[in-house]
Amino acid sequence: MSKMTESADDMTKSTSPFLSLTGLRAALRDGSISSTAATEAILTRIETIDPTLRSFVTVTAEEALAQARAADQRLANGEKTPLLGVPVAIKEILCSEGIVSQAGSKILEGFKPPYDAYVVSKLKAAGAVIVGMTNTDEFGMGSSTEYSAFQTSRNPWNIECTPGGSSGGSAAAVAGGLAYGALGTDTGGSVRLPASFCGIVGLRPTYGRVSRWGVIAYASSLDQVGPMGRTVEDTAVMLQTISGYDERDSTSIETAVPDYEAACTGDIRGLKIGIPQEYFIEGLDPEVKAAVEAAIEQLAALGAEIVDISLPHTKYALPMYYLIATAEASANLARYDGVRFGPRVPGKDVIETTMRTRALFGPEVKNRIMLGTFVLSAGYYDAYYGRALKARTLLINDFNRAFEQVDVILTPTSPTTAFKIGEKADDPLQMYLTDIFTVSLNLSASCGLSVPCGRDSAGLPIGLQLIGATLQEETILRVAHAYQQATEWHTAHPPV
Amino acid sequence: MSETLTKFEAVIGLEIHAEMLTQSKMFSGCRVVDSVEAAPNSAVDPLSLGMPGMLPVINRSAVEMAMKVGLALNCEINAYNAFERKNYFYPDLPKGYQITQYAHPVATNGYLDIKGASGETKRVRIRRAHIEEDTGKLTHLSDGRSLVDYNRAGVPLLEIVSEPDMRTAEEALAFATKIRQILRYLDVNTGDMEKGIIRFEANISIRPLGSDALNTRVEVKNLNSFRSLTSSIEYQIAQQIETVEGGSVVEQATLGWDEDRKQTYSQRSKEDAHDYRYFPEPDLPPLIIGPDWIDRVREQLVELPDSKLRRYLTELGLPSYDAEVIVEDRPVAEWFDAAVAAGGDPKTVANWLINNLFALMNEHKQTIENSRVSPQGMVDLLALIEAETINKNTAKSVLVDMFLSGQTAKTIVEEKGLAQISDDGPILTIIQTIIDDNPQMVANYLGGKDKLRGWFMGQVMRELRGKGNPALVNRLLDQKLGELKKR
């Protein structure tokens, strides 16, 4: 390849919407593309493709272009903040000052918070260009975005299918080349599941690694913001930006943030990877199983040691999750009464006004509020919520024991690939089962990510879940990166 | 009534809700204002409004205030502190739950000694004291609309719960008064009941005299004056006795108190829903209070009223009335302590404080802190009396001057020439002049009207413009009048 064609190649690459975040960052820094041009290209692409994908609820074109122009100035001055000039998207469950942040709910329709969530201010400080707010199941309660009050997002690989949820908007945007990276939130798998369904990388950090300040709460002891990217390195850059101690979140961990990009060494020789038998169960799609097994072989070939392990309380994770998450949600959602913010549906008195306003909650949210209220009620607390808390300790012990033996735990992210829109929307239990492999991590003090490891016969992506011990994000990034170096699943793009 | 009182006794427990006077709210940096004076919703922030995504952070200074109260009430300060969510719906509760301590309060198992009816010491046990956040305030308009003010929402509250150890309204009053006094001493609360900064709740039941039974109790909430505290307890005791004597049983109830009609009424409110669905506040990890922290807080404790009272009675020999009056308010007691430390005689200082300075403070509506008479100033004034530079009557007017002008006693005495005349010469001259000018009075006096001696004394002192050393004037007058009699 001659020099001439190489540079011509670079030019086409730099305008490709599927260029990696780190690739775009390099192009921005060496001046081969401006942030304004990259942002305009993304906005044009959103205009063209998003009427189909419906990943954005709000596109902030004006603000994004202003941020891009400012970034170009700073780039010209030689500044090198981590995301300077990079167009990214955020889930609309993250409060964004002056921008409609509705958590997918009618009860927050048009709500413009007077503050930025911690992670949003971190993105801004890093120079990111925020192109819009992405779709989510209402308050993050769902696995498909079908429970969004505003729209259902589509899977870029097959628009008949769901992108997964609840951070389905962010996943579809990243997979569809509508953003170079995105933020989601993960309470029971809401970053990893859509990442898996859309063939991208999604990471759920250790609880406390990322501040929840300004994140519209679903289940406070489980919620965590997580980055999504088309490559492991891209995800590492996003994670780097949003991690850190925040005194405004009392559950935030006060410890130094390691260099996550540097963790992507490609070398996993000698690393022990545990395979929990409890995740290879009936109901696991054979194609998913085959892809995951192939990935295990690949990792072994890269020098990792594969160890069979057991997480015996896995089968209790899903019920535990629905007891704890709904209990917390029932309290967290009590503030939506139309008095101080958000829409108000007037009635003849305070009570009627409250009742009418709360009727704006969608059916799934109402389900969970009722379930949560029930499990905390006098006479039922010990049998349900109290027992779930005790079981949670057992589950944490499972993971602690496992991490005495291994460095990383490997599982499928989901038992299946993306399902059809409408397929499970009327069957909450089937929908809940989608999270069966992801919820354990939220209940324990672990971190985890989903990385693409194949496609099924219908061409839909398959995700591999890597779980790390508390604050071992570096380790799972290292394994996932090494895997991506040896495979090409992440280089394929959906037909949009 | 006297018959029934001999048959029954009341069992009374109190709960005290006291706002803690911190700079900022319990879980956010939002400033705390006087919620009666401040414009509605002028001291709010996204957290105290319960806006989405906002997270609580524990106010350290509120925790320390609670620890101080716990220590002052002889409680154990618990190492493991947890906050929980108390869920109930009311429009003045922004989040739909109140963050409070439930299973793991900051302080438990204390006591407070009060004075019983016949002056004996009575010990009231303290079950617990816990930290929580206050709610906003709701105002219902006559047109059906309701207004809500969130200035008070999130203000740190301390809830102190006694055991049901009180038997009469007087004991409850003594306990409440003393709790309020301690909170004021510790600068935790101003004790301003009219503003609702401190509120009481009484749990009342009755039982046959001599029984140990704890019968069904009635709660009377939101008592915001000592008068309503005692009246409501007395009213409830009478009601319950009437109920039981009438052959019925007392039913558990949550009541309010109507101060105008002097009766309790059933409260229809948020309290109807009794299932608060408490669960651990996931946004706040447990707060661990180590022994070092407790020691540091203990070191900051000021001398409490009981200890001061003991000291005044035994070490300083004050009469018990004086000692109690001075101990009542911490600033007064500290003023007094400072005066004694500056060399003032305790009894004399106490007399001048209670008999003179208090009168001036009342007349001019001032407190001891903003009074211009410093402890040292008072001691200097008393020294002038001691040195016979001025007499007591002059001193009283000098004190008024000091109070109004802020000048020192010495300056006032010098500038106004108020020093006593203690030389024989000028006094004798004046006495002679008065004798010479009033022959008829002298004649009457010599004729047996001994009482006229006082008239002569008054005339002399008037001529001396009050500055005569009274003892000297008396002696010289007697000497002169004696000489006249001998003639």
Side-chain angles (χ1 to χ4, degrees):
Chain A
M1 207 184 277
S2 76
K3 279 248 167 196
M4 285 275 287
T5 51
E6 212 180 295
S7 81
D9 224 35
D10 277 344
M11 281 310 290
T12 47
K13 256 171 77 184
S14 62
T15 52
S16 161
F18 294 109
L19 178 65
S20 67
L21 184 155
T22 50
L24 175 70
R25 189 175 64 178
L28 289 165
R29 284 179 182 175
D30 71 19
S32 56
I33 187 168
S34 70
S35 173
T36 305
T39 303
E40 278 169 348
I42 285 288
L43 290 172
T44 306
R45 193 168 159 82
I46 291 172
E47 225 170 274
T48 319
I49 295 170
D50 210 47
T52 309
L53 290 187
R54 314 181 110 207
S55 55
F56 287 91
V57 177
T58 306
V59 178
T60 50
E62 215 172 290
E63 292 85 351
L65 286 169
Q67 287 164 359
R69 281 190 294 272
D72 283 329
Q73 280 284 322
R74 292 168 63 184
L75 283 161
N77 295 338
E79 275 188 52
K80 283 184 177 169
T81 53
L83 290 172
L84 191 52
V86 175
V88 298
I90 60 181
K91 185 178 184 177
E92 74 152 357
I93 219 160
L94 308 174
C95 287
S96 213
E97 186 180 344
I99 307 292
V100 174
S101 310
Q102 313 166 112
S105 183
K106 288 272 185 204
I107 211 155
L108 277 175
E109 191 164 11
F111 172 63
K112 291 180 179 174
Y115 41 82
D116 274 334
Y118 173 87
V119 290
V120 174
S121 56
K122 289 284 257 183
L123 283 184
K124 287 182 176 172
V129 172
I130 299 169
V131 293
M133 310 291 281
T134 58
N135 194 27
T136 171
D137 288 291
E138 190 171 355
F139 289 102
M141 299 178 181
S143 309
S144 70
T145 75
E146 286 167 284
Y147 298 147
S148 161
F150 304 111
Q151 63 200 42
T152 297
S153 301
R154 310 278 163 162
N155 192 314
W157 292 89
N158 178 347
I159 59 167
E160 304 283 296
C161 289
T162 157
S166 62
S167 312
S170 285
V174 171
L178 306 183
Y180 289 88
L183 295 184
T185 57
D186 189 318
T187 306
S190 283
V191 160
R192 289 157 290 152
L193 182 81
S196 161
F197 279 13
C198 291
I200 61 166
V201 182
L203 186 146
R204 139 89 197 196
T206 305
Y207 185 79
R209 172 78 290 181
V210 178
S211 168
R212 292 180 294 116
W213 197 89
V215 179
I216 299 176
Y218 158 22
S220 310
S221 78
L222 304 167
D223 292 345
Q224 192 68 192
V225 180
M228 302 167 106
R230 284 190 291 267
T231 71
V232 173
E233 283 176 301
D234 291 0
T235 310
V237 174
M238 294 287 286
L239 178 64
Q240 192 77 48
T241 305
I242 62 171
S243 293
Y245 173 67
D246 178 11
E247 59 180 12
R248 293 172 304 173
D249 176 358
S250 304
T251 62
S252 160
I253 298 175
E254 197 169 0
T255 178
V257 180
D259 186 338
Y260 292 123
E261 259 189 280
C264 299
T265 58
D267 184 5
I268 57 165
R269 281 172 299 176
L271 217 68
K272 286 186 183 162
I273 298 178
I275 315 294
Q277 59 190 45
E278 292 82 2
Y279 283 70
F280 295 83
I281 50 168
E282 202 184 323
L284 176 62
D285 183 298
E287 288 188 280
V288 172
K289 185 164 183 266
V292 170
E293 281 168 352
I296 294 170
E297 276 176 36
Q298 180 72 62
L299 289 166
L302 290 169
E305 187 188 330
I306 307 300
V307 184
D308 282 330
I309 59 160
S310 175
L311 296 168
H313 296 95
T314 297
K315 62 172 177 282
Y316 302 113
L318 200 65
M320 227 185 281
Y321 170 79
Y322 278 97
L323 294 173
I324 292 171
T326 57
E328 293 179 6
S330 72
N332 283 333
L333 300 188
R335 68 190 61 203
Y336 301 102
D337 55 9
V339 174
R340 300 165 307 282
F341 53 83
R344 179 190 303 178
V345 187
K348 67 175 191 313
D349 56 19
V350 175
I351 299 296
E352 197 182 275
T353 300
T354 308
M355 287 172 71
R356 287 187 180 183
T357 302
R358 286 182 173 173
L360 294 172
F361 281 130
E364 179 58 21
V365 172
K366 288 180 188 163
N367 277 350
R368 296 197 195 193
I369 291 173
M370 285 189 282
L371 183 57
T373 304
F374 173 73
V375 303
L376 288 174
S377 299
Y380 298 99
Y381 182 98
D382 290 338
Y384 294 110
Y385 186 75
R387 193 170 288 180
L389 286 188
K390 284 179 191 151
R392 188 173 185 177
T393 309
L394 297 175
L395 192 79
I396 291 170
N397 292 342
D398 274 7
F399 278 92
N400 288 344
R401 264 194 301 275
F403 285 119
E404 283 167 16
Q405 295 174 61
V406 299
D407 301 297
V408 171
I409 296 169
L410 182 153
T411 77
T413 306
S414 171
T416 66
T417 53
F419 49 89
K420 289 256 165 52
I421 288 168
E423 196 181 317
K424 297 182 181 179
D426 300 326
D427 188 346
L429 202 58
Q430 276 305 307
M431 192 72 95
Y432 295 175
L433 285 169
T434 317
D435 294 332
I436 190 157
F437 294 156
T438 51
V439 292
S440 287
L441 186 154
N442 302 66
L443 293 160
S444 70
S446 321
C447 56
L449 60 73
S450 180
V451 60
C453 71
R455 276 190 299 285
D456 67 7
S457 47
L460 291 167
I462 298 169
L464 179 73
Q465 178 169 245
L466 297 169
I467 303 172
T470 306
L471 292 173
Q472 290 306 306
E473 284 79 4
E474 286 170 284
T475 315
I476 54 175
L477 285 167
R478 179 146 67 106
V479 176
H481 175 71
Y483 176 76
Q484 275 196 343
Q485 295 298 99
T487 55
E488 293 196 329
W489 300 113
H490 62 291
T491 60
H493 309 308
V496 286
Chain B
M1 193 69 189
S2 58
E3 188 197 345
T4 54
L5 274 177
T6 56
K7 281 162 69 182
F8 291 99
E9 71 173 356
V11 178
I12 304 161
L14 288 188
E15 284 179 26
I16 294 104
H17 292 81
E19 284 186 5
M20 292 189 275
L21 293 170
T22 47
Q23 295 285 308
S24 57
K25 292 189 177 178
M26 187 61 228
F27 298 112
S28 81
C30 183
R31 74 203 162 94
V32 170
V33 295
D34 183 326
S35 61
V36 174
E37 304 286 324
N41 298 310
S42 58
V44 295
D45 69 346
L47 187 114
S48 46
L49 292 177
M51 290 184 76
M54 294 298 97
L55 297 173
V57 177
I58 298 169
N59 181 336
R60 196 182 167 86
S61 125
V63 173
E64 292 190 349
M65 283 188 181
M67 288 163 72
K68 277 186 193 172
V69 176
L71 290 170
L73 298 179
N74 309 294
C75 291
E76 295 156 23
I77 303 300
N78 296 310
Y80 184 88
N81 277 257
F83 289 90
E84 304 203 24
R85 291 186 182 178
K86 178 182 181 178
N87 296 284
Y88 66 90
F89 170 75
Y90 211 64
D92 66 5
L93 185 66
K95 298 186 295 296
Y97 56 86
Q98 179 190 35
I99 305 178
T100 179
Q101 292 191 304
Y102 183 56
H104 301 281
V106 63
T108 45
N109 297 327
Y111 63 85
L112 185 63
D113 289 334
I114 58 169
K115 219 183 209 178
S118 44
E120 82 287 3
T121 297
K122 163 139 193 171
R123 180 156 290 185
V124 177
R125 290 167 301 155
I126 308 287
R127 184 181 299 168
R128 57 186 278 156
H130 72 252
I131 300 166
E132 57 188 33
E133 54 177 341
D134 211 342
T135 62
K137 251 185 343 197
L138 208 56
T139 310
H140 300 288
L141 301 183
S142 52
D143 64 3
R145 286 182 303 156
S146 300
L147 303 177
V148 62
D149 174 10
Y150 292 103
N151 282 346
R152 210 179 63 180
V155 170
L157 265 188
L158 187 67
E159 181 173 333
I160 303 163
V161 183
S162 85
E163 294 291 349
D165 287 350
M166 289 153 279
R167 298 288 168 266
T168 62
E170 291 73 33
E171 285 180 3
L173 176 64
F175 178 78
T177 308
K178 200 153 181 188
I179 291 272
R180 176 173 174 268
Q181 184 189 40
I182 287 174
L183 293 171
R184 289 170 50 127
Y185 255 75
L186 297 174
D187 281 334
V188 166
N189 186 289
T190 58
D192 200 338
M193 288 185 279
E194 280 179 7
K195 288 184 173 171
I197 286 170
I198 181 165
R199 316 184 290 265
F200 299 94
E201 184 179 322
N203 299 311
I204 308 147
S205 64
I206 57 159
R207 65 187 176 196
L209 204 59
S211 156
D212 283 338
L214 289 175
N215 293 325
T216 304
R217 59 180 207 183
V218 158
E219 296 174 35
V220 188
K221 285 187 174 287
N222 282 322
L223 299 166
N224 56 7
S225 72
F226 285 140
R227 194 179 54 227
S228 50
L229 176 72
T230 48
S231 323
S232 64
I233 291 174
E234 278 164 359
Y235 176 84
Q236 258 307 313
I237 294 173
Q239 283 276 302
Q240 291 187 22
I241 290 174
E242 202 181 305
T243 306
V244 172
E245 298 221 302
S248 307
V249 288
V250 174
E251 286 189 29
Q252 188 165 340
T254 302
L255 307 173
W257 173 248
D258 186 330
E259 182 60 41
D260 296 329
R261 300 170 66 190
K262 302 276 177 224
Q263 59 187 46
T264 49
Y265 61 91
S266 179
Q267 242 185 11
R268 184 186 59 82
S269 76
K270 60 192 173 186
E271 305 301 336
D272 282 352
H274 265 300
D275 188 356
Y276 291 125
R277 306 190 306 280
Y278 285 98
F279 73 99
E281 166 55 279
D283 287 331
L284 293 172
L287 173 73
I288 306 301
I289 300 178
D292 292 353
W293 193 6
I294 297 175
D295 287 344
R296 278 201 305 281
V297 169
R298 199 192 303 273
E299 281 164 19
Q300 294 166 23
L301 276 185
V302 293
E303 188 187 19
L304 293 167
D306 273 1
S307 156
K308 273 199 197 292
L309 191 65
R310 260 197 308 278
R311 193 162 55 79
Y312 291 172
L313 293 175
T314 57
E315 287 178 29
L316 304 184
L318 292 192
S320 64
Y321 171 80
D322 289 10
E324 277 169 24
V325 167
I326 294 172
V327 159
E328 178 71 31
D329 263 325
R330 182 179 143 198
V332 170
E334 286 182 345
W335 186 98
F336 173 77
D337 285 341
V340 172
D345 170 60
K347 283 184 186 169
T348 315
V349 171
N351 275 335
W352 278 80
L353 172 63
I354 295 169
N355 299 328
N356 302 96
L357 190 54
F358 277 3
L360 286 167
M361 281 158 50
N362 284 340
E363 186 188 337
H364 295 274
K365 295 194 167 45
Q366 285 195 4
T367 63
I368 197 106
E369 293 118 304
N370 54 32
S371 142
R372 300 166 99 168
V373 180
S374 68
Q376 184 66 54
M378 178 64 92
V379 171
D380 292 345
L381 174 67
L382 299 182
L384 292 179
I385 302 173
E386 184 74 13
E388 298 193 345
T389 309
I390 54 174
N391 61 40
K392 279 185 191 166
N393 274 333
T394 307
K396 283 178 192 168
S397 66
V398 172
L399 182 66
V400 175
D401 260 9
M402 291 166 70
F403 186 85
L404 296 174
S405 71
Q407 285 182 303
T408 64
K410 198 167 164 246
T411 310
I412 293 165
V413 168
E414 276 172 10
E415 285 186 358
K416 297 202 167 173
L418 298 176
Q420 289 189 122
I421 296 167
S422 299
D423 291 339
D424 291 8
I427 297 174
L428 283 171
T429 309
I430 284 168
I431 294 173
Q432 192 57 57
T433 312
I434 287 168
I435 288 170
D436 293 348
D437 291 355
N438 297 283
Q440 189 55 50
M441 288 297 195
V442 173
N444 289 349
Y445 175 73
L446 293 176
K449 290 199 171 176
D450 286 351
K451 280 185 181 170
L452 282 173
R453 187 194 168 282
W455 181 85
F456 284 105
M457 183 68 189
Q459 291 299 305
V460 176
M461 285 307 268
R462 197 174 71 182
E463 285 296 310
L464 289 164
R465 282 182 291 138
K467 296 184 291 183
N469 179 335
L472 183 60
V473 174
N474 269 319
R475 188 168 56 76
L476 295 176
L477 184 64
D478 283 347
Q479 184 188 315
K480 271 283 174 196
L481 292 175
E483 282 169 13
L484 285 176
K485 274 190 176 172
K486 275 179 204 161
R487 269 184 217 163

